[in-house]
Structures are given as C-alpha cells and as structure tokens.
C-alpha cells in the first residue's frame, strides 16, 4: 500500500514490498514467570531484560530458574531466534546465537521466530529504527512504565521487502 499510515508518520511502501503485522510473519512467545513458590523442575539459565542489548545478548550474568520437562520447548531458545524486551527499553532486540545450551527466557522477554518471509537481522534493524523514530511507542501500554505486550507486538506493522532486499538492508 503506497502512503500507508504507520504510527506518527506516513510511510511510503515501495513497489514489491508489503505492509505486514509481525504476528502474520513470525511466531512469538512471552517467557516464563519467575515464581519461587510455584516453579519446579531442573534449574536452567535464563535471559532477563538486562541481558538483551540492541543486536547483542550479554550472557555474563545469567541467573537460573527451575523448568519442568513440559516447559523446555515452550521457553527454549534456538539459534536465530529474536529476543525482544517487553519492558524497560521496550522493543530492544537481539538475535540469539546459541552459545549457551538449554538457555531459556523469562517473562520480561518475547521470543520471536521469524517465518520464511522474514529475515531475523532485518527484524532487529526494523525494531531499532522504529524505536528511535518513536513509531514503536504507538504499540506500548502503560502510562509511566512502557510495556510491549505480546498482543501489541503481534500487531506491530511494518513494510516488508522481499528477502533479498531484507538481507541487503540488514
């Protein structure tokens, strides 16, 4: 759509690109709630909000939380997954490189698994661009502390170029 309205500014979607919602081109999941009274299982390392930096995951200060067998896949990370902060600097994102086996993620983090039409590095660049431009704020909830809920992340709308162009941009 040419001249589609995105957030505060009108964005021209070039020919051959399409306007998409993240939930239509990727799978996403919010991490596990930390609850010492309820959580059971095997202690495993997990990502918290401070571990996710723009384009980088800092694993120097990982903590552990118990995970049960049936939670391992749901809260697991695969190489290439995009991790997105739910709060704090909501939308801050990085690509998981797989360097820590069995790493999980906490409730303050969304895991996004791009589908075939979406390049993970392009998504992180897109989130950073829209964060800096103030467009991502249109998807936040909360008056004082901003949050990017799973529902709002799924409806995040952006221009998506063909894969070759995504790779060139990223």
């Amino acid at each position: 759509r040419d001249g589609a309205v995105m957030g505060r500014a009108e964005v021209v979607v070039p020919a051959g690109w399409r306007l998409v919602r993240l939930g239509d081109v990727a799978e996403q999941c919010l991490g596990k709630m930390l609850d010492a009274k309820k959580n059971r299982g095997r202690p495993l390392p997990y990502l918290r909000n401070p571990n996710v930096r723009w384009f980088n995951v800092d694993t120097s200060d990982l903590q552990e939380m118990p995970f049960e067998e049936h939670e391992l896949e749901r809260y697991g990370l695969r190489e290439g997954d995009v991790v997105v902060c739910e709060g704090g600097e909501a939308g801050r994102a990085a690509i998981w490189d797989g360097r820590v086996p069995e790493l999980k993620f906490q409730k303050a983090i969304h895991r996004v698994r791009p589908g075939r039409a979406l390049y993970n590095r392009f998504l992180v660049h897109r989130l950073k661009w829209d964060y800096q431009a103030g467009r991502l704020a249109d998807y936040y909830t909360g008056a004082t502390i901003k949050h990017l809920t799973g529902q709002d992340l799924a409806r995040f709308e952006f221009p998506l170029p063909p894969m070759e162009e995504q790779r060139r941009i990223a």
Side-chain angles (χ1 to χ4, degrees):
R1 299 183 340 211
D2 289 340
V5 175
M6 268 189 52
R8 299 178 187 154
E10 187 171 304
V11 174
V12 175
V13 179
W17 293 32
R18 56 192 174 116
L19 197 59
V20 299
R21 290 186 173 189
L22 184 59
D24 293 334
V25 293
E27 170 197 321
Q28 65 188 67
C29 178
L30 185 63
K32 181 178 176 174
M33 171 85 73
L34 181 59
D35 186 340
K37 294 177 185 174
K38 293 181 182 177
N39 290 345
R40 302 194 189 316
R42 181 167 50 110
L44 292 169
Y46 70 95
L47 290 181
R48 301 169 294 130
N49 190 303
N51 298 114
V52 178
R53 314 280 171 79
W54 283 112
F55 301 97
N56 181 42
V57 177
D58 177 8
T59 58
S60 65
D61 181 31
L62 294 176
Q63 296 182 9
E64 290 188 339
M65 170 177 15
F67 288 86
E68 295 183 68
E69 191 66 34
H70 72 276
E71 297 174 314
L72 298 179
E73 177 63 28
R74 177 179 175 90
Y75 300 117
L77 291 170
R78 297 180 192 157
E79 187 174 338
D81 283 347
V82 176
V83 288
V84 181
C85 292
E86 186 260 351
E89 192 176 358
R92 188 175 61 232
I95 299 168
W96 176 239
D97 62 11
R99 70 181 172 265
V100 176
E102 296 191 280
L103 187 67
K104 307 301 177 206
F105 60 106
Q106 180 206 27
K107 186 178 185 267
I109 304 290
H110 297 281
R111 179 196 62 216
V112 178
R113 287 195 175 138
R116 292 185 323 214
L118 179 60
Y119 182 43
N120 58 3
R121 286 189 53 80
F122 175 82
L123 174 60
V124 176
H125 280 280
R126 184 78 243 180
L127 287 165
K128 173 90 181 217
W129 176 264
D130 286 341
Y131 174 83
Q132 290 178 324
R135 284 189 218 89
L136 205 52
D138 294 339
Y139 296 92
Y140 295 162
T141 59
T144 54
I145 299 174
K146 306 300 183 195
H147 292 278
L148 184 59
T149 68
Q151 183 177 359
D152 291 327
L153 184 60
R155 70 179 186 85
F156 169 56
E157 194 171 52
F158 59 96
L160 183 69
M163 185 59 75
E164 312 79 54
E165 184 70 2
Q166 291 179 57
R167 289 184 186 281
R168 187 192 68 71
I169 290 168

